[in-house]
Amino acid sequence: MARQSLTFRRLTGLDRSGPPPAETLREAPWRPWTVPNAIGYIRLALVPVFLVWALRSENGTDTGPAILFAAIAWADYLDGIAARLTGQYSKLGALLDPIIDRALVLAGVIVVWHFDTLPHWALAALAVREVVQLGYGQWALRHDIDLTVNWPGRLGVWPAMSALFAALVGWETLGEILLYIAIVLLVWATALYIREGSTSR
């Protein structure tokens, strides 16, 4: 299958039309040693660093952990650009990225919960959604079901990350608003994934 030309919209991820790259499908090899995956490994290694650093802060709004959280989150965009520039797509990368995102969200939830900077019920809802989505993704993998990333899920990541970042820098009202937006989008996305999985069996 010929790869589509790399336009600016494709490079930046604005154009997601067309089928997913063949290298990311379940029958493809894992291909762990790629540039995008190397970025993913660094992101994953930094998640516990953020968690420990943030929990050791005085009030949960220290600059250093907040910057590290933002860097880990934004590096997800970087590894996507690296994959599109190099053509180094992989099944491992397709699975690794959402796992890292969910690990970062859960780490952020732990910190924000600990310092009581956003409503606990909303943080719990976000955490439960992430755990459910992670478990459902593993179930789909075991049953040879390819789940296509949907737009509510893609759009919901950034209000979730931004809500946690806002709480980490003390912008609690903004963080609360963004958190509610994220919950709506992400729960909607999970419902679509479950529907897709049930019709693919």
Side-chain angles (χ1 to χ4, degrees), residues 122-170:
L123 291 170
L126 178 61
V128 167
R129 184 272 171 185
E130 294 300 276
V131 171
V132 167
Q133 184 64 40
L134 183 60
Y136 188 70
Q138 294 302 309
W139 176 88
L141 181 64
R142 288 196 301 271
H143 289 80
D144 293 331
I145 296 172
D146 287 318
L147 296 178
T148 305
V149 178
N150 57 50
W151 275 107
R154 187 171 285 128
L155 293 174
V157 171
W158 288 109
M161 296 290 191
S162 299
L164 296 170
F165 175 78
L168 291 169
V169 296

Side-chain angles (χ1 to χ4, degrees), residues 88-153:
Q88 293 181 341
Y89 300 99
S90 68
K91 181 169 68 172
L92 178 61
L95 293 172
L96 188 62
D97 281 353
I99 290 173
I100 297 169
D101 287 343
R102 289 185 180 98
L104 181 60
V105 166
L106 291 173
V109 166
I110 290 170
V111 173
V112 173
W113 183 296
H114 178 76
F115 290 102
D116 198 25
T117 47
L118 288 177
H120 283 191
W121 73 264
L123 291 170
L126 178 61
V128 167
R129 184 272 171 185
E130 294 300 276
V131 171
V132 167
Q133 184 64 40
L134 183 60
Y136 188 70
Q138 294 302 309
W139 176 88
L141 181 64
R142 288 196 301 271
H143 289 80
D144 293 331
I145 296 172
D146 287 318
L147 296 178
T148 305
V149 178
N150 57 50
W151 275 107

Side-chain angles (χ1 to χ4, degrees), residues 3 6 11 23 31 33-37 39 78-90:
R3 198 177 301 280
L6 187 62
L11 176 62
E23 298 92 334
R31 296 189 68 203
W33 307 118
T34 67
V35 171
N37 286 344
I39 296 171
L78 179 62
D79 74 23
I81 289 177
R84 290 184 282 273
L85 274 175
T86 63
Q88 293 181 341
Y89 300 99
S90 68

Side-chain angles (χ1 to χ4, degrees), residues 1-4 18-23 25:
M1 182 185 298
R3 198 177 301 280
Q4 292 173 300
E23 298 92 334
L25 301 179

Side-chain angles (χ1 to χ4, degrees), residues 54-62 65-66 111-112 115 117 167-170:
L55 288 175
R56 288 181 176 175
S57 64
E58 289 187 9
N59 57 11
T61 58
D62 286 2
V111 173
V112 173
F115 290 102
T117 47
L168 291 169
V169 296

